[in-house]
Amino acid sequence: MTADVKKETLGFQTEAKQLLHLMIHSLYSNKEIFLRELISNASDAIDKLRFAALSDEKLLEGQGDYQVQVDVDKDAGTITIADNGIGMNRDEVIEHLGTIAKSGTAAFMQSLTGDQQKDSQLIGQFGVGFYSAFIVADRVEVHTRKAGEDAGQGVVWESHGEAEFSVEQREKATRGTSVKLFLKEGCEEFADDFRVRSVIKKYSDHISVPVMMLKPSTPAAAEEDGEEAAEQVPEYEAVNEATALWTRSRTDISDEEYQEFYKHISHDFDEPLSWSHNKVEGKLDYTSLLYIPRRAPFDMWNRDMAKGLKLYVQRTFIMDDAEQFLPLYLRFVKGVIDSNDLPLNVSREILQQDASVESMRSAVTKRVLDMLAKLAKKGGDEYATFWKEFGQVLKEGPAEDFANKEKIAKLLRFSSTETDKEAQDQSLEDYVSRMQEGQEKIFYVVAENFNTARNSPHLEVFRKKGIEVLLLWDRVDDWLMNHLQEFDGKSFQDVARGALDLAADSEEEKAEQEKLQKESEALVERLGKVLEEKVAEVRATTRLTESPACLVVGDFDMGAQMRRIMEAAGQPVPDSKPILEINPAHPLLEMLDQEQDEDRFADLATIVFDQANLAEGGQLDDPAAYVSRLNKLLLTLSGR
């Protein structure tokens, strides 16, 4: 290999450039987190090599003692974090250090506000890892070589954290990665041995790999003859406990240690809402440490988001994002599972077929649901925080996990006519406890948004009778209710579906309804003829007290919200027409009943139908025709 190897200068990906600028200016108040992030990355690199070496021992290059080494140079103003992990080749260096290959990046960038305090929280949500080095350094040099490759294949990456970085080939005798930070003015504290040791103890005690630093030097003892002793050989010592946190007893672990371990595995800046550490012995032998995050990641709704637990077998790291241990609706859970039963050469394919994995998945799922139930029972703002971030994901549960449907149902929260507030803070148990005597159903309405739900004409008779209705408007709600079906022995009833049968109706009310239907037969028949292309049926109803009409779907037809979602996604929807229910006592319907001009009657009837469609959040097929009819009617009423 020639000594003169071409040095190439490349530009950062746009998002990386933006993120660097943002971090440097927003995270200055918490500078020390860079060390946690870089040591965490080094630990991950060692975990990856440990796993790869199971199938190819040559990668170890005859050296199997894993460690992270941290060196400070006060005079030069540098700190170096080196590992003997998997390392990177040239292409990987460019991919990992020059771009942010992360789903949700665009959404993340759009959500930035320019408010440094708020933006620093968002950065934590996104996770920054390596880039945090530029909080304290004005130049960073990375020297790396992939395990198993020739010494001549080493690569040096260098950048000032602005618009560009350089990459060149340079020999590296040992595998792994060394990150050298040239500290900025004002950040010299991170070249101080005592300061760095204290930060490592604070953030990295739980990492299973030893983090080594030079032992503090002691003055050389003088020889008896007055000559100085021979120069001491530099000696390193572990600064951290170097014991995997989940292998320790719960009573020996502080809350702060649990929280720091969460930040290590998740690269999240926020503390978790809750965690559960559990050791199972018997038929299965495994340990789990599970966390509920405080905030949702930006790629929560991206199909390719990284999800699942870190899997270890007998303390040996096997893989990140082992998604076989949790159902998809719990994809936000972070943590570690360490099994003594699985083989060390386990693959994702084997995990999908292994019976013990299915048993662990069932137990871990129940544990997460129990954690959430405890969080909900505790009251306060924490469950409300969880629901705001992850409620829509949890609503996927009843369709995916039939065995735990009742447990999930107890965790669901909704808006309701009880509070008439947008906050989803009412449980199904709350609703059932307030049900009226003789009420056998849990009533709900589904709409496009909160205001449409709250003002739905379908609620009028319920408000009049004081019967509570759940207000649903999340996209997943219609689908959720199709799978939930019942709770605590009470079935669910969509108030916009089928004929309304309130058990609380008195004989007097039923007689009044029969009279109403009889007296409105002629009007119903006329409307049915005019609207036969648009509706399946027209019928009189007592469910309306203020509105002239509303649309109802048949008992077995697809709900209006689900229909709109499928149409927007380009999915085929079955042909079905809504039912138009009218309030014959409404002045508009009374006027319609008296109308002798059939053309005018047809215009009015179509306006009533279109308004009922708009009231439930629907779209008009021909808005211009609606406006034209309405204008004609207004002119007629004004006498022109």
Side-chain angles (χ1 to χ4, degrees):
M1 190 188 98
T2 57
D4 183 25
V5 177
K6 184 183 170 193
K7 183 173 182 176
E8 191 176 0
T9 300
L10 302 164
F12 274 116
Q13 180 197 37
T14 308
E15 288 91 341
K17 215 185 305 182
Q18 287 176 274
L19 189 61
L20 281 166
H21 176 79
L22 183 64
M23 258 195 318
I24 291 162
H25 294 91
S26 296
L27 291 182
Y28 55 83
S29 61
N30 191 18
K31 295 175 183 175
E32 63 188 34
I33 58 101
F34 83 91
L35 198 50
R36 178 188 78 198
E37 292 295 297
L38 294 182
I39 290 175
S40 188
N41 284 353
S43 167
D44 286 348
I46 287 169
D47 276 346
K48 288 185 171 85
L49 175 62
R50 193 184 266 139
F51 176 59
L54 291 173
S55 53
D56 186 0
E57 204 176 313
K58 291 199 293 290
L59 295 176
L60 296 178
E61 302 174 10
Q63 200 265 318
D65 289 334
Y66 301 106
Q67 64 177 39
V68 177
Q69 188 173 304
V70 178
D71 289 290
V72 294
D73 186 333
K74 204 160 191 170
D75 296 334
T78 63
I79 178 171
T80 305
I81 298 94
D83 67 70
N84 56 357
I86 193 78
M88 293 178 279
N89 60 29
R90 188 180 181 284
D91 289 344
E92 288 168 337
V93 165
I94 293 170
E95 182 189 343
H96 296 314
L97 305 187
T99 64
I100 301 175
K102 194 164 191 174
S103 55
T105 305
F108 167 72
M109 292 301 169
Q110 286 165 11
S111 66
L112 299 174
T113 60
D115 180 323
Q116 288 181 350
Q117 192 174 357
K118 287 181 184 170
D119 286 349
S120 67
Q121 291 173 345
L122 289 172
I123 295 168
Q125 218 174 328
F126 187 73
V128 291
F130 170 77
Y131 295 104
S132 60
F134 289 101
I135 300 168
V136 297
D138 50 22
R139 179 160 73 93
V140 175
E141 184 181 288
V142 179
H143 195 183
T144 184
R145 173 171 68 77
K146 190 149 189 178
E149 295 193 353
D150 295 337
Q153 295 301 305
V155 179
V156 171
W157 178 99
E158 191 178 351
S159 177
H160 289 266
E162 291 162 356
E164 57 192 29
F165 59 90
S166 66
V167 181
E168 66 176 308
Q169 204 167 321
R170 190 184 301 170
E171 189 165 321
K172 188 173 189 300
T174 55
R175 64 165 194 262
T177 302
S178 167
V179 181
K180 188 171 189 176
L181 281 65
F182 296 81
L183 298 167
K184 292 177 183 175
E185 192 176 335
C187 296
E188 296 88 352
E189 62 189 284
F190 297 109
D192 176 77
D193 181 86
F194 180 77
R195 174 78 169 104
V196 171
R197 281 171 179 266
S198 66
V199 174
I200 292 170
K201 286 291 287 180
K202 178 178 177 182
Y203 289 125
S204 305
D205 229 15
H206 51 73
I207 290 175
S208 59
V209 182
V211 180
M212 311 294 284
M213 286 188 75
L214 269 176
K215 276 187 176 179
S217 56
T218 53
E223 296 284 346
E224 281 183 15
D225 60 2
E227 290 180 14
E228 283 193 10
E231 191 178 331
Q232 293 178 324
V233 178
E235 195 178 338
Y236 283 83
E237 64 181 357
V239 181
N240 62 333
E241 287 281 342
T243 305
L245 185 96
W246 66 89
T247 63
R248 291 160 54 191
S249 167
R250 281 181 299 193
T251 53
D252 296 340
I253 308 171
S254 68
D255 286 357
E256 289 74 20
E257 287 177 299
Y258 275 123
Q259 288 161 356
E260 283 309 323
F261 184 68
Y262 165 74
K263 291 173 183 177
H264 164 65
I265 59 170
S266 66
H267 295 283
D268 189 353
F269 284 28
D270 270 321
E271 290 171 359
L273 275 174
S274 178
W275 62 84
S276 173
H277 185 188
N278 189 46
K279 184 169 176 59
V280 175
E281 292 175 314
K283 191 178 175 186
L284 291 172
D285 188 354
Y286 67 92
T287 301
S288 65
L289 176 50
L290 310 168
Y291 290 93
I292 308 293
R294 189 170 292 275
R295 297 185 201 278
F298 276 90
D299 52 1
M300 175 60 76
W301 301 103
N302 189 305
R303 291 172 68 92
D304 300 323
M305 75 167 281
K307 50 191 173 285
L309 306 176
K310 272 184 179 281
L311 174 62
Y312 289 75
V313 172
Q314 297 163 36
R315 260 65 67 213
T316 299
F317 171 77
I318 303 298
M319 69 180 77
D320 280 314
D321 315 323
E323 52 193 66
Q324 292 80 1
F325 294 94
L326 282 170
L328 198 57
Y329 73 93
L330 296 179
R331 59 185 175 272
F332 51 84
V333 176
K334 301 288 184 189
V336 164
I337 191 157
D338 187 348
S339 167
N340 283 335
D341 303 315
L342 293 170
L344 280 167
N345 63 348
V346 70
S347 64
R348 291 188 188 273
E349 291 70 34
I350 292 171
L351 286 178
Q352 285 166 350
Q353 298 155 9
D354 194 291
S356 63
V357 171
E358 192 54 45
S359 297
M360 282 193 274
R361 174 190 172 100
S362 176
V364 170
T365 299
K366 284 193 171 75
R367 183 153 290 276
V368 173
L369 295 177
D370 288 343
M371 285 168 71
L372 293 175
K374 277 185 193 168
L375 200 63
K377 194 174 179 183
K378 199 162 69 171
D381 295 334
E382 291 202 326
Y383 195 74
T385 299
F386 163 79
W387 185 258
K388 186 180 173 192
E389 296 291 319
F390 303 108
Q392 286 198 53
V393 189
L394 199 64
K395 284 179 178 179
E396 297 171 11
E400 189 185 346
D401 188 358
F402 184 82
N404 289 305
K405 191 154 68 167
E406 191 78 10
K407 275 179 180 260
I408 300 164
K410 288 181 180 178
L411 297 169
L412 301 177
R413 295 294 181 268
F414 303 98
S415 294
S416 156
T417 54
E418 172 71 15
T419 59
D420 257 351
K421 291 178 181 170
E422 191 166 352
Q424 296 181 8
D425 56 6
Q426 300 300 304
S427 72
L428 294 175
E429 288 171 306
D430 293 335
Y431 182 100
V432 170
S433 72
R434 296 190 290 257
M435 283 173 72
Q436 293 191 0
E437 192 176 342
Q439 183 182 338
E440 289 300 319
K441 292 180 177 176
I442 299 172
F443 294 103
Y444 69 91
V445 66
V446 184
E448 286 290 290
N449 54 58
F450 169 68
N451 283 325
T452 304
R454 184 181 58 175
N455 297 317
S456 169
H458 298 100
L459 302 182
E460 291 173 10
V461 71
F462 291 90
R463 291 192 186 278
K464 181 182 173 185
K465 290 175 176 286
I467 299 172
E468 184 176 355
V469 180
L470 299 175
L471 307 174
L472 313 184
W473 72 89
D474 284 338
R475 285 174 65 87
V476 71
D477 282 337
D478 209 350
W479 186 68
L480 162 71
M481 286 305 181
N482 286 334
H483 289 90
L484 208 50
Q485 293 168 346
E486 67 163 32
F487 176 79
D488 197 17
K490 313 286 184 187
S491 62
F492 288 92
Q493 173 67 54
D494 182 349
V495 299
R497 185 184 293 278
L500 188 62
D501 177 23
L502 292 177
D505 284 353
S506 64
E507 290 302 318
E508 196 177 304
E509 287 171 321
K510 285 176 182 172
E512 186 187 329
Q513 188 169 353
E514 285 171 14
K515 182 186 172 195
L516 185 75
Q517 285 171 338
K518 197 168 181 62
E519 289 176 350
S520 59
E521 277 177 0
L523 176 59
V524 164
E525 192 178 337
R526 283 178 80 191
L527 283 168
K529 283 179 181 173
V530 169
L531 300 171
E532 64 181 344
E533 294 295 318
K534 297 176 181 288
V535 300
E537 181 189 349
V538 178
R539 64 190 180 208
T541 185
T542 54
R543 82 165 86 211
L544 300 170
T545 59
E546 295 171 20
S547 302
C550 67
L551 295 182
V552 177
V553 296
D555 285 315
F556 304 106
D557 289 342
M558 183 180 286
Q561 191 205 37
M562 183 63 79
R563 177 175 286 274
R564 283 193 287 272
I565 289 170
M566 290 188 72
E567 284 173 345
Q571 298 289 322
V573 290
D575 285 335
S576 66
K577 294 176 186 174
I579 296 159
L580 180 69
E581 291 198 352
I582 60 166
N583 175 8
H586 192 279
L588 187 57
L589 270 297
E590 287 177 341
M591 183 182 83
L592 196 56
D593 199 18
Q594 302 301 317
E595 182 57 59
Q596 301 300 314
D597 185 323
E598 290 302 324
D599 288 340
R600 208 165 117 82
F601 178 89
D603 280 347
L604 275 166
T606 305
I607 287 172
V608 167
F609 170 80
D610 285 345
Q611 286 182 337
N613 191 4
L614 289 170
E616 61 122 47
Q619 300 283 327
L620 299 183
D621 291 335
D622 190 349
Y626 170 74
V627 171
S628 175
R629 286 191 195 97
L630 199 56
N631 288 345
K632 199 194 306 182
L633 174 66
L634 290 170
L635 287 168
T636 307
L637 290 174
S638 68
R640 293 193 180 184

